[in-house]
Amino acid sequence: MGDCEANFPVLEEEKLIAAAQQIVKALKNKKELTHDARKILADLGSQLSSITKVDEQKEHDKLCGTENTIEKKFSELEEQLNIVQNKVMIWEVDQSLIWDCGQEYTDDYLRSVDEARILIEHLESLNVDRDSKGGELLFRAHEVLQIAMNRLEEEFKHLLVQNKQHFEPEHMSFRSNEDDEAGSIASFGDDSVEDSVVQRDSMSRRSSEEFVVELVHPDVIPDLRCIAKLMFNSNYSRECSQAFINVRKDALDDFLFILEVDKLSIDDVMKMEWNSLNSKIRRWIWCMKVFVRVYLASEKWLSDQIFGELDSESAVCFAESSKGSILHLLNFAESVAIGPHQPEKLIRILDMYEVLSDLVPDIDVAYSDDAGLCVRIECQEVLRILSGCARTTFLEFENAVGSSVSANPFRGGGIHHITRYVMNYMKTLTDYSKILDELLKGDEEEDSSVANSPDSREEDNSNGSCYISPLAQYFKSFTSILECNLDDKSKLYKDESLGHLFLMNNIHYMAEKVKNSHDLRTILGDDWIRKHNWRFQQHAMNYERATWSSILSLLRDEGLQNPGSNSISRTLLKERMQSFYVAFDEVYKNQTGWSIPDCQLRDDLRISTSLKVIQAYRTFVGRHSNHISEKHIKYSADDLENFLLDLFEGSPRSLHGSHKGK
């Protein structure tokens, strides 16, 4: 039923058309019309004319009404644009900074600019022709918005610069305590800045070590965020981002200047004296901690506060503003690493590697987006170069120890500087045992000198398959090579006794250094200590044998009898005593100039020597007291004992003229 009613007008019109067609057909065959026919057809024509005029009037009225409405709409838009334009242009004439004039003015300006943006969107939605009234309004609106965006960019930069906050990194100390639930506090001198430090919830992985300092005064953050949002909504995102990047780049450069980080080329680093370079490296280590954990963390937080609601723009702005500075710091580390592999550099290289390795997670989090990919890649590359440098320098240290050659014997037979250097070097390296074990993993299999060293073989034989860390193997190799080197140096002495004293001193120093260092003792083991205790004691015995055996043989009875008789020859006895005194005087003269730096070792050797010499002297003199004249006894046993206490002091003395009589 409903369908029939809907189609009724269509059916009536079809009948009307069919009737009209019949009339037209009939008129073609008619030559003349009656009066009635003419009247009917005239009435029909009048009705048709009337219908046409009504339709035309309706169409005309409709067209005029639309044009009037559009004209009225454009007039309203023009009026709005004029108001917005006046508000924008007033500030162009004044040239005052809007944000210096108060919140009322800033709010009004932002509303006006937003109205200009909305006007543009509305005009663009009307698809106005370029040459029409609407096109003219659209062009003017874009001009107004452009002027406003330039001003907002200026105000944005001004707010960032004028509200920049400074802090003194020199007094910053880091405290890492995973059990400290209160988190970190950055301390500047005696003043606590706990109130000005914002804990970072977004990077809780290392919350005990990370800080956020407000680099821009917090009161202007809402304004900066508002400007950024308006510029982004107005399709001026690039201008806003670039303004932020430029200002923060300068701020980061200023911070590096405060940190006293010089912009050095590779050539500058390569030409630098070690003392200067060492100072620069130590400065770099501290700067990296402050820069990454405080300044970069704070810079990331600032970027998030301003651009966090604008998709990935925060990450882009942060990466673009900061990557130049972080890459500059990484380039310095790379320049140091590609320089000569000098042993003295190893500690600093390990420090740099340790710091950078520890900071990698922080850097990866800060530059987690695609915009920071180049920083993450460069960081890993520098870490790889540092690890290679550390490993190579460590291995070349072994060669340096083995190739240390001396043309002259070490004066006084004391502790050679290479012994002190190697043992102190090893002791210092124990602080990096975990890192070195990781870096050296696999190298011990390739290095035959380590695998075949005597200490390694003995350890293998004694402990079977007991695991020996890479560092322990290399340390054992170092000490073996050092001992071989010392053995070669001992052969430079013309006096065999001094050669043994030299080895005794140096091996004793090695054993004591290991025994008194918990870390060295853990790495090298008690067996190593026992073995080297036995070695220096052997050299002490060899010293006594080489020095005193021939002298003490003078205090024996063999060869003192008169020919063909068992009676003691006074002449031979006198000569024997004189020979003893001459030999003792010579030992005293020489060995008071020899050195045993360790007090306990010196006393032990004096006591051991005294027991043998004084006992033999007392026995000999006592046994032949009836045959020896008092005037032939140059020294008493007590004299000799006191003289022996003068040995090994490193200051040559003479006993000439100190005897009792002729």
Side-chain angles (χ1 to χ4, degrees):
M1 183 68 178
D3 291 342
C4 290
E5 290 178 352
N7 293 329
F8 181 76
V10 176
L11 293 173
E12 288 296 321
E13 186 172 326
E14 288 177 354
K15 290 178 180 179
L16 186 61
I17 292 170
Q21 288 173 343
Q22 290 294 327
I23 292 171
V24 171
K25 185 177 179 182
L27 287 173
K28 286 181 180 179
N29 299 324
K30 274 283 186 182
K31 300 296 184 182
E32 294 182 1
L33 293 174
T34 64
H35 176 73
D36 292 337
R38 287 194 186 98
K39 185 180 180 181
I40 291 171
L41 290 173
D43 291 339
L44 180 60
S46 297
Q47 290 181 19
L48 288 173
S49 176
S50 176
I51 291 171
T52 302
K53 286 179 180 179
V54 170
D55 290 341
E56 289 176 352
Q57 185 64 41
K58 286 182 179 179
E59 191 67 30
H60 179 267
D61 292 343
K62 183 179 179 182
L63 183 60
C64 289
T66 301
E67 289 176 354
N68 289 336
T69 303
I70 292 174
E71 188 66 31
K72 185 178 178 182
K73 182 67 174 177
F74 282 151
S75 296
E76 291 173 356
L77 293 176
E78 184 175 18
E79 186 177 348
Q80 292 177 30
L81 180 58
N82 288 338
I83 295 171
V84 169
Q85 186 173 14
N86 287 336
K87 288 184 177 181
V88 169
M89 296 310 296
I90 285 172
W91 290 103
E92 295 305 305
V93 174
D94 189 352
Q95 289 296 307
S96 298
L97 288 164
I98 305 169
W99 263 261
D100 288 345
C101 297
Q103 193 67 40
E104 178 184 351
Y105 294 99
T106 59
D107 290 346
D108 183 61
Y109 190 82
L110 289 172
R111 279 194 299 270
S112 299
V113 177
D114 200 39
E115 286 175 14
R117 178 187 65 81
I118 294 170
L119 273 171
I120 289 172
E121 290 180 354
H122 186 62
L123 287 167
E124 287 177 342
S125 70
L126 297 176
N127 295 318
V128 296
D129 293 332
R130 183 175 180 180
D131 298 328
S132 67
K133 178 71 172 179
E136 180 188 343
L137 289 176
L138 182 60
F139 179 78
R140 279 182 56 201
H142 274 297
E143 281 190 326
V144 171
L145 188 65
Q146 172 72 54
I147 293 169
M149 288 296 113
N150 291 339
R151 168 51 69 98
L152 286 178
E153 182 181 344
E154 211 176 298
E155 299 279 342
F156 187 76
K157 290 190 288 188
H158 173 74
L159 286 173
L160 283 171
V161 173
Q162 293 303 313
N163 292 279
K164 183 170 66 172
Q165 297 199 135
H166 302 276
F167 65 95
E168 295 297 329
E170 286 292 345
H171 305 296
M172 173 168 280
S173 60
F174 288 94
R175 181 186 58 173
S176 174
N177 184 354
E178 293 181 359
D179 297 327
D180 186 357
E181 295 179 358
S184 297
I185 297 175
S187 177
F188 306 99
D190 296 330
D191 299 323
S192 173
V193 294
E194 186 175 8
D195 293 337
S196 65
V197 174
V198 181
Q199 297 301 323
R200 301 181 65 197
D201 296 331
S202 61
M203 297 173 72
S204 59
R205 182 192 59 79
R206 302 182 63 83
S207 61
S208 63
E209 293 183 21
E210 289 175 343
F211 309 88
V212 169
V213 176
E214 290 164 338
L215 301 175
V216 174
H217 199 283
D219 289 350
V220 300
I221 295 295
D223 292 319
L224 291 167
R225 188 188 300 122
C226 188
I227 293 173
K229 186 175 181 180
L230 182 53
M231 291 185 73
F232 270 70
N233 290 340
S234 303
N235 295 321
Y236 281 81
S237 58
R238 186 179 61 81
E239 288 79 0
C240 183
S241 298
Q242 197 59 50
F244 177 86
I245 290 166
N246 291 340
V247 171
R248 295 315 303 167
K249 265 185 180 179
D250 291 341
L252 284 162
D253 286 341
D254 290 343
F255 186 68
L256 288 181
F257 179 78
I258 292 170
L259 292 179
E260 299 179 14
V261 176
D262 299 325
K263 292 189 175 181
L264 301 171
S265 66
I266 293 176
D267 288 340
D268 293 334
V269 174
M270 299 283 270
K271 293 175 183 176
M272 200 173 291
E273 294 289 335
W274 168 243
N275 286 339
S276 298
L277 182 58
N278 184 34
S279 177
K280 296 287 185 188
I281 294 173
R282 294 178 69 177
R283 187 77 185 173
W284 180 92
I285 290 166
W286 178 80
C287 287
M288 279 296 289
K289 293 178 183 177
V290 176
F291 191 79
V292 173
R293 292 227 170 102
V294 180
Y295 211 85
L296 277 189
S298 302
E299 194 70 35
K300 181 90 165 57
W301 184 81
L302 174 62
S303 181
D304 288 342
Q305 288 294 298
I306 298 173
F307 299 104
E309 299 176 2
L310 304 170
D311 297 328
S312 61
E313 196 61 32
S314 173
V316 173
C317 288
F318 165 74
E320 290 301 317
S321 62
S322 63
K323 69 180 180 182
S325 298
I326 187 68
L327 290 176
H328 166 68
L329 287 168
L330 292 173
N331 287 340
F332 174 79
E334 184 176 356
S335 298
V336 173
I338 64 178
H341 299 136
Q342 299 159 326
E344 62 267 23
K345 284 174 58 177
L346 178 57
I347 302 300
R348 292 290 167 248
I349 293 293
L350 289 172
D351 284 337
M352 296 176 86
Y353 177 85
E354 184 177 38
V355 166
L356 186 55
S357 178
D358 196 38
L359 291 175
V360 162
D362 302 85
I363 293 172
D364 285 347
V365 170
Y367 295 96
S368 57
D369 296 82
D370 292 341
L373 179 61
C374 64
V375 176
R376 300 200 306 274
I377 291 174
E378 181 64 16
C379 186
Q380 290 296 333
E381 178 63 14
V382 172
L383 199 62
R384 184 190 65 78
I385 293 171
L386 282 170
S387 68
C389 176
R391 188 166 50 251
T392 303
T393 305
F394 180 86
L395 298 178
E396 287 191 4
F397 171 71
E398 184 178 53
N399 297 331
V401 174
S403 61
S404 172
V405 178
S406 300
N408 300 307
F410 189 70
R411 187 173 178 272
I415 301 167
H416 199 281
H417 55 77
I418 192 173
T419 307
R420 295 182 187 275
Y421 180 76
V422 170
M423 297 309 297
N424 286 322
Y425 197 80
M426 287 170 55
K427 185 177 183 298
T428 304
L429 289 178
T430 59
D431 293 337
Y432 306 88
S433 57
K434 190 173 181 180
I435 296 173
L436 283 168
D437 275 333
E438 188 65 30
L439 294 177
L440 296 169
K441 199 169 289 181
D443 283 343
E444 71 276 9
E445 299 174 1
E446 302 172 8
D447 195 320
S448 59
S449 65
V450 174
N452 297 321
S453 68
D455 285 324
S456 295
R457 290 197 301 271
E458 289 176 21
E459 190 75 25
D460 290 341
N461 291 335
S462 61
N463 293 328
S465 59
C466 180
Y467 173 74
I468 306 174
S469 72
L471 185 61
Q473 292 194 39
Y474 276 103
F475 273 13
K476 290 182 183 218
S477 176
F478 286 172
T479 57
S480 294
I481 292 171
L482 174 60
E483 288 176 59
C484 291
N485 190 283
L486 292 171
D487 192 60
D488 291 339
K489 286 175 168 52
S490 72
K491 293 179 173 61
L492 296 173
Y493 294 105
K494 294 179 180 179
D495 192 320
E496 181 186 357
S497 300
L498 185 53
H500 286 300
L501 190 82
F502 171 76
L503 289 173
M504 177 199 72
N505 275 328
N506 284 270
I507 295 175
H508 175 266
Y509 178 86
M510 293 167 66
E512 287 297 299
K513 202 73 178 178
V514 174
K515 184 170 71 174
N516 295 327
S517 167
H518 175 268
D519 293 328
L520 277 177
R521 186 167 193 157
T522 301
I523 292 171
L524 291 173
D526 289 337
D527 285 343
W528 186 97
I529 295 173
R530 282 192 290 271
K531 180 167 54 178
H532 285 76
N533 282 338
W534 178 84
R535 286 182 184 175
F536 86 74
Q537 289 166 4
Q538 283 295 112
H539 285 296
M541 291 172 56
N542 290 337
Y543 153 79
E544 289 182 346
R545 188 178 298 113
T547 299
W548 298 104
S549 291
S550 59
I551 296 174
L552 293 180
S553 68
L554 296 173
L555 300 179
R556 295 177 187 152
D557 291 341
E558 288 83 354
L560 291 178
Q561 292 82 6
N562 286 310
S565 170
N566 290 329
S567 63
I568 299 297
S569 170
R570 292 179 179 271
T571 302
L572 292 176
L573 184 60
K574 176 184 174 182
E575 291 175 355
R576 185 71 65 84
M577 291 293 291
Q578 288 177 341
S579 296
F580 172 80
Y581 292 134
V582 168
F584 187 89
D585 287 356
E586 187 66 21
V587 168
Y588 183 89
K589 177 183 176 181
N590 290 332
Q591 297 194 14
T592 51
W594 295 0
S595 175
I596 301 179
D598 186 86
C599 296
Q600 187 62 50
L601 180 61
R602 184 169 63 241
D603 290 343
D604 288 347
L605 190 58
R606 283 171 176 172
I607 292 170
S608 176
T609 300
S610 182
L611 287 173
K612 294 178 177 65
V613 174
I614 303 306
Q615 177 64 33
Y617 183 75
R618 278 201 176 104
T619 301
F620 186 79
V621 172
R623 188 164 56 244
H624 300 291
S625 59
N626 295 330
H627 303 91
I628 303 175
S629 171
E630 182 72 20
K631 65 180 181 179
H632 295 134
I633 299 177
K634 189 174 182 180
Y635 309 124
S636 68
D638 290 341
D639 291 334
L640 291 180
E641 190 170 6
N642 289 330
F643 293 151
L644 289 173
L645 294 178
D646 293 336
L647 300 184
F648 318 127
E649 292 286 352
S651 300
R653 301 184 187 181
S654 175
L655 290 173
H656 180 68
S658 63
H659 54 81
K660 289 184 178 181
K662 300 291 183 183

